[in-house]
Amino acid sequence: MRSTSRRGFLEAAAGLGCVAAVPALAEPGRTASAESPWLRAIGDGEAVRDLGFRCICCGAVDHDPARLFEQLRAGAEARGWAGGNDDAGLRAALQDLRRSDFESGQVVRVEGWVLARSEARAYALAALLAPAA
Amino acid sequence: MLIDTRAVADDTLIQADICIIGAGPAGLTLAKSLATSNLRVVVLESGGIEAEAETATLSEGEYSGIDVEPLEATRVRALGGTSNIWTGYCRMLDENDFERRPWIPYSGWPFERAELEPYYAKAHRIIKFKTIDYDIGKWSARTGHPYLKPAEDIVHHRMSLCRPINFWNSYAADLANVENVRVFTHATVLGIRLADNGQTVDRLDVGSLEGKRFTVSARRYALACGALDNARMLLLSNDVRQGGIGNEHDLVGRFFMEHPRFVSGTLLLAGRGMPTRGLYSEYYLGDGFSVRGDLGIHAAVREREGIANVLGRLDPSDKDELVGGAHAARRIVRHFRQGRVPHDLSENIWKVISDMDGVVAAAYRRFVRDKNRSSNTFSVQSYIEQVPNPDSRVVLCGKRDAFGQQRAHLIWKLTDLDRRTAHRAVELFAQAVGARDLGRIRVEVDLENVFPPSTGWGHHHMGTTRMHDDPKQGVVDRNAKVHGISNLFIAGASVFPTGGCAPPTLTLVALAERLADHLRKDAGAA
């Protein structure tokens, strides 16, 4: 497996982490194929899936989608997400969760990159849920 | 008055109130301050007005432990001392650097930073800073350049002010044209001779490479030869006190510290990135003055993590550029600009030749593409505080210099705490950047091999005659007087008990001003 390119990494991070900072990479069309609000919130681009698989392969996060989902759902609900199809609310809750992870040191290393644990879980979930290309 | 020792008659006895050994930033600051008193001051400089190859050989020595540059390449024996090759970066030590930190063995100065504040103010004037402002927000407003805002509860910005003055060129008129100061060039101290009671310095034996020999007798002496030679001089002067002067507790030469620096990470910024020639580079403001912003980690976080002080420097250069052919090319150019030949010239030329693509790409980026541009990618260079370690030390070796004196052998050793600091710091930078969605950092070091072969050092030699009120824990007391010797003082970074992660020159100049105050009072001078 080749290591993640900087461009690929940035695209993946844009899907979840840096949406506000990289508006060009967060266009609605990029997630149009996704049915789940989770994929819409995380992003399902190739770069996201690639990074998600890398997160799983290096053992940074669980490889069970149900467990990943539960971990993220619990975190999002604890940060005010009411469930349902509230995309904006879910996105904000995941962003809050990610920032909190960074601040409290809940981080993982994936090929050297320091990621929030919830962020890595989200990438992994995207990789496992997204329909095969 | 400037006097060439080669014109002094053999066996002359020169008398003074205060004799300063060494004419670098510490010695010249001391001399300049005392020049306004009624004290008769003698300054002894081993070199000449400019660096000379034969004199430079006196600084040669051996080293082991961590691979370093040859000792003579890091110091200059000439008027102005190592300020002849100084890059000019200045920043005060943090308040926390002066405190005893229980997780750092041997930490703690005998006084708080507040004691040094008035002398820091003087030191800024001596280095001719017209603007003293360490707030990056103000510099951002003044220059119009943006700066990053990572999580403020983890990291903060540290500005450095930069003005690379040559201390001799700046103050020659103040010293050479006053009656009460005599500056001797080509005057190498061959021994500090104690009186029979072993508690007072009686005289100095001085010589030139041409064979001149004379004696200096003063009421007080200040040793200001840098951390390697301060320790060496004390160890060599062992005719009355076995083991050398001030070495009753085997402390002279121990606790050698440096500022190891190395590429620790790659910062990938979101959005449009940051200017490559902005506040994170050396931002030139004219009149020889520039500023630079770096990242630091809050004292409370360092305490919680149990790590030492650390600085994160953001460099728009690619990591490969910082360690490959481009790095070698920059090294060659820098040395030649300073009138020196790098000791590893052939090795560096080979690196340039074998990485010509990298050199051309780096030159293109530096001089064409990146000028006034932004970049998403910055290398993170860590500069860490090396914690005090008694096994990191200067000793005498079997080789001898042109005077027949034993040369110094530097045994530079780092500890697990240094490794943990280096490793954890870049993770903390990554957390702070990630928490504000500024981008992500890739860690480029691992705990087992945290100091890569490309690790450099700041040429900041510190700690070999450390300051402590207890003679069993320090060579000098809080007034920089050698324990057990009534009239011998030490100036320079060799007295630092800890070195923080700030360049040492500003602090050693402040300490020299403080020592001058003490010597004036001690001597009852007007």
Side-chain angles (χ1 to χ4, degrees):
Chain A
M1 189 182 282
R2 286 187 304 111
S3 64
T4 309
S5 70
R6 286 178 189 168
R7 182 175 177 78
F9 179 81
L10 197 59
E11 284 184 21
L16 177 70
C18 305
V19 173
V22 196
L25 296 173
E27 293 165 3
R30 293 183 66 82
T31 57
S33 63
E35 297 300 321
S36 155
W38 287 90
L39 287 188
R40 286 199 296 274
I42 297 166
D44 68 342
E46 186 185 339
V48 170
R49 288 195 297 273
D50 181 55
L51 190 53
F53 281 121
R54 290 173 191 279
C55 292
I56 295 167
C57 287
C58 72
V61 294
D62 212 303
H63 63 275
D64 176 357
R67 209 171 297 158
L68 288 168
F69 177 77
E70 274 310 305
Q71 289 163 338
L72 284 168
R73 190 179 60 80
E77 285 178 353
R79 277 156 184 80
W81 181 58
N85 285 332
D86 177 12
D87 286 16
L90 177 57
R91 191 177 288 249
L94 290 177
Q95 185 172 337
D96 192 31
L97 181 59
R98 185 186 64 254
R99 288 179 174 176
S100 169
D101 278 356
F102 271 120
E103 284 176 349
S104 61
Q106 293 295 313
V107 293
V108 296
R109 287 243 210 124
V110 179
E111 295 175 3
W113 293 103
V114 178
L115 305 178
R117 189 178 296 281
S118 58
E119 174 182 30
R121 284 172 176 158
Y123 293 143
L125 187 64
L128 295 169
L129 288 188
Chain B
M1 194 184 309
L2 183 60
I3 302 164
D4 191 324
T5 294
R6 295 172 294 192
V8 175
D10 257 337
D11 300 326
T12 299
L13 172 64
I14 292 164
Q15 294 184 303
D17 294 310
I18 293 177
C19 177
I20 300 165
I21 308 165
L28 290 181
T29 298
L30 200 50
K32 177 185 178 308
S33 187
L34 294 172
T36 58
S37 72
N38 60 354
L39 297 169
R40 296 168 301 151
V41 178
V42 160
V43 180
L44 301 175
E45 168 53 48
S46 178
I49 293 174
E50 294 187 343
E52 298 157 357
E54 193 178 5
T55 314
T57 64
L58 296 173
S59 295
E60 290 175 1
E62 295 186 329
Y63 54 88
S64 54
I66 295 174
D67 196 17
V68 296
E69 289 188 59
L71 304 188
E72 72 277 12
T74 63
R75 295 167 295 158
V76 177
R77 286 191 186 229
L79 292 172
T82 305
S83 72
N84 282 283
I85 55 171
W86 184 39
T87 55
Y89 280 106
C90 290
R91 198 175 62 255
M92 294 177 284
L93 288 172
D94 298 343
E95 287 182 19
N96 177 255
D97 290 329
F98 290 80
E99 297 168 2
R100 196 181 83 77
R101 291 165 282 172
W103 65 98
I104 298 180
Y106 308 102
S107 60
W109 287 53
F111 47 78
E112 297 176 350
R113 193 177 84 167
E115 163 74 20
L116 217 50
E117 297 284 0
Y119 301 104
Y120 267 136
K122 285 184 180 179
H124 281 98
R125 288 196 291 275
I126 287 170
I127 302 174
K128 300 177 186 280
F129 286 118
K130 291 176 186 164
T131 307
I132 304 169
D133 197 333
Y134 289 94
D135 184 337
I136 195 167
K138 290 180 182 169
W139 283 112
S140 176
R142 192 175 301 182
T143 62
H145 277 289
Y147 64 102
L148 299 172
K149 295 183 178 66
E152 291 174 354
D153 50 351
I154 302 174
V155 306
H156 58 145
H157 276 91
R158 287 191 164 132
M159 291 301 289
S160 291
L161 311 182
C162 181
R163 194 176 182 84
I165 66 163
N166 177 310
F167 277 69
W168 175 251
N169 292 344
S170 298
Y171 294 109
D174 294 348
L175 297 170
N177 299 326
V178 291
E179 286 292 315
N180 63 322
V181 178
R182 287 171 288 170
V183 179
F184 290 81
T185 57
H186 303 105
T188 302
V189 173
L190 305 177
I192 302 170
R193 305 302 173 208
L194 296 181
D196 291 340
N197 64 10
Q199 295 172 354
T200 310
V201 176
D202 180 56
R203 66 184 192 283
L204 304 177
D205 292 337
V206 186
S208 76
L209 284 170
E210 290 74 17
K212 280 281 161 59
R213 296 288 183 273
F214 65 96
T215 304
V216 175
S217 175
R219 293 170 64 200
R220 290 168 185 78
Y221 302 83
L223 190 54
C225 302
L228 299 179
D229 273 311
N230 280 352
R232 177 174 172 245
M233 282 304 310
L234 295 178
L235 293 171
L236 283 171
S237 303
N238 57 3
D239 52 338
V240 174
R241 290 200 177 201
Q242 198 177 10
I245 295 173
N247 202 24
E248 279 62 37
H249 301 285
D250 189 22
L251 292 171
V252 172
R254 291 189 183 272
F255 299 98
F256 173 85
M257 297 177 292
E258 247 281 5
H259 288 136
R261 62 186 168 87
F262 52 92
V263 178
S264 60
T266 299
L267 166 63
L268 186 59
L269 287 173
R272 295 166 61 188
M274 293 286 290
T276 56
R277 295 284 179 268
L279 291 174
Y280 295 107
S281 63
E282 189 176 318
Y283 191 83
Y284 189 64
L285 292 154
D287 194 26
F289 177 53
S290 53
V291 296
R292 176 166 195 150
D294 299 308
L295 299 177
I297 295 171
H298 277 300
V301 177
R302 284 185 271 122
E303 179 172 2
R304 187 187 70 213
E305 299 282 342
I307 59 174
N309 211 341
V310 63
L311 185 85
R313 178 158 292 175
L314 305 182
D315 192 310
S317 311
D318 190 81
K319 183 199 169 194
D320 294 337
E321 191 180 320
L322 290 171
V323 298
H327 173 72
R330 270 207 296 268
R331 185 174 161 73
I332 294 169
V333 170
R334 193 175 71 240
H335 275 78
F336 281 135
R337 272 185 183 162
Q338 294 167 350
R340 298 184 296 143
V341 178
H343 73 282
D344 47 2
L345 180 62
S346 55
E347 185 184 329
N348 280 306
I349 288 174
W350 176 247
K351 279 186 187 170
V352 171
I353 292 169
S354 58
D355 184 26
M356 195 51 82
D357 287 354
V359 174
V360 172
Y364 172 74
R365 275 195 296 269
R366 185 175 182 82
F367 297 113
V368 183
R369 194 197 74 180
D370 284 351
K371 209 165 188 180
N372 302 319
R373 283 189 52 144
S374 289
S375 175
N376 285 92
T377 309
F378 286 74
S379 290
V380 181
Q381 291 192 65
S382 291
Y383 287 63
I384 69 159
E385 171 187 28
Q386 181 188 346
V387 299
N389 171 16
D391 294 330
S392 180
R393 64 188 301 199
V394 175
V395 297
L396 299 178
C397 71
K399 292 187 179 171
R400 292 177 184 270
D401 66 15
F403 291 104
Q405 306 264 53
Q406 283 177 276
R407 294 188 183 279
H409 181 167
L410 171 62
I411 305 164
W412 184 25
K413 288 186 176 175
L414 297 169
T415 64
D416 285 343
L417 180 49
D418 298 316
R419 278 180 272 279
R420 197 166 75 240
T421 297
H423 190 256
R424 188 69 185 114
V426 67
E427 287 183 333
L428 289 166
F429 290 138
Q431 286 178 224
V433 166
R436 293 295 175 270
D437 283 341
L438 301 174
R440 297 290 182 271
I441 286 179
R442 184 174 63 202
V443 176
E444 305 282 3
V445 292
D446 62 64
L447 195 54
E448 296 304 312
N449 186 28
V450 74
F451 296 107
S454 57
T455 299
W457 56 341
H459 302 163
H460 302 158
H461 304 163
M462 302 172 285
T464 56
T465 63
R466 69 197 319 263
M467 182 182 277
H468 201 286
D469 284 334
D470 180 354
K472 292 179 181 170
Q473 297 187 62
V475 176
V476 301
D477 66 14
R478 62 177 57 220
N479 293 316
K481 187 184 78 64
V482 175
H483 284 294
I485 307 294
S486 64
N487 61 346
L488 177 59
F489 298 81
I490 294 184
S494 66
V495 305
F496 290 13
T498 54
C501 59
T505 304
L506 186 71
T507 300
L508 71 86
V509 168
L511 281 171
E513 277 287 351
R514 180 175 175 272
L515 175 57
D517 264 5
H518 177 77
L519 289 172
R520 260 194 300 269
K521 285 177 197 157
D522 199 37

